[in-house]
Amino acid sequence: MAVHDHSHRHTGIRLPSRRRSATATTEADTAVTTATGAYTLAGLRLLTGFVFLWAFLDKAFGLGYATPSGNGWIDGGSPTKGFLGGVAVGPMESTFHGWAGAAWANWLFMLGLLGIGIALMAGVALRLAAVAGTVMMALMWIAEWPPAKHLSDGSASMSTNPFADYHLVYAVVLIALAAAGAGATWGLGRAWARLLFVDRNRWLL
């Protein structure tokens, strides 16, 4: 009598692999996390862009918030005179007073606000926006000089932190958005990157 070994025969029914299911679940979770991160950065980009763009609009047209109506740039007002002229502390106090109200300072400041705002809102040229925004925030940080406890006249500076203020936070946000390529989601970042002159000059991303 022949004895047949059926130990290696397959019935055709296979149970799902636990390893494969766990891998698929991990990949799905990673995809969801990546998408959530992209949307979060896109939202942060748009909000930050609106901060810069609104500052430009208010100073240009005197919308009645930080800039009173009738005192906008188009009405002859100066976007830099009030802030720079009011600097009362820090190593560049006299320098900022000399810059206050100068035509070149007004143009550079306003073009910086407009350019950074548009770049962030559109999701393009984020590296340039990060560089320009960081320089602008650094100068404003020096103008307010958080390390000082007292102003030049001896009065309290009311500084709440000797180093980390909102100017530094904005600068770090700009750098992070550029490093993460946050213009691809809810923006024109992908289309911008495909342009020939941008592809040849990656610093324009």
Side-chain angles (χ1 to χ4, degrees):
M1 177 181 291
V3 179
H4 300 282
D5 185 2
H6 298 286
S7 61
H8 297 292
R9 295 181 61 186
H10 299 284
T11 61
I13 301 175
R14 295 185 180 181
L15 296 176
S17 169
R18 291 183 179 180
R19 182 177 297 177
R20 184 177 300 173
S21 298
T23 301
T25 300
T26 302
E27 291 176 350
D29 290 343
T30 301
V32 171
T33 301
T34 301
T36 301
Y39 294 139
T40 302
L41 286 174
L44 179 61
R45 190 196 83 236
L46 292 172
L47 284 174
T48 307
F50 185 70
V51 169
F52 282 88
L53 193 58
W54 177 262
F56 169 81
L57 294 172
D58 185 53
K59 294 179 184 302
F61 302 105
L63 300 180
Y65 287 84
T67 306
S69 299
N71 198 36
W73 195 24
I74 63 170
D75 300 311
S78 171
T80 63
K81 188 174 183 178
F83 178 72
L84 294 181
V87 173
V89 67
M92 293 183 63
E93 179 180 352
S94 60
T95 301
F96 286 135
H97 289 171
W99 292 356
W104 65 267
N106 290 336
W107 276 97
L108 280 180
F109 181 57
M110 293 298 281
L111 288 176
L113 290 176
L114 179 62
I116 295 168
I118 290 177
L120 291 174
M121 296 295 286
V124 302
L126 296 185
R127 293 181 182 180
L128 284 176
V131 172
T134 297
V135 171
M136 181 183 294
M137 291 299 104
L139 288 171
M140 295 180 77
W141 185 89
I142 294 172
E144 295 198 357
W145 200 244
K149 294 181 180 179
H150 299 90
L151 301 179
S152 298
D153 61 3
S155 60
S157 67
M158 304 304 290
S159 175
T160 59
N161 190 295
F163 177 71
D165 75 341
Y166 67 98
H167 296 108
L168 292 186
V169 173
Y170 279 135
V172 172
V173 167
L174 290 171
I175 294 169
L177 292 174
T185 302
W186 296 342
L188 303 175
R190 287 194 178 93
W192 174 259
R194 288 195 296 266
L195 295 176
L196 184 60
F197 71 93
V198 176
D199 186 57
R200 292 178 176 174
N201 301 277
R202 305 303 290 177
W203 55 273
L204 291 172
L205 286 175

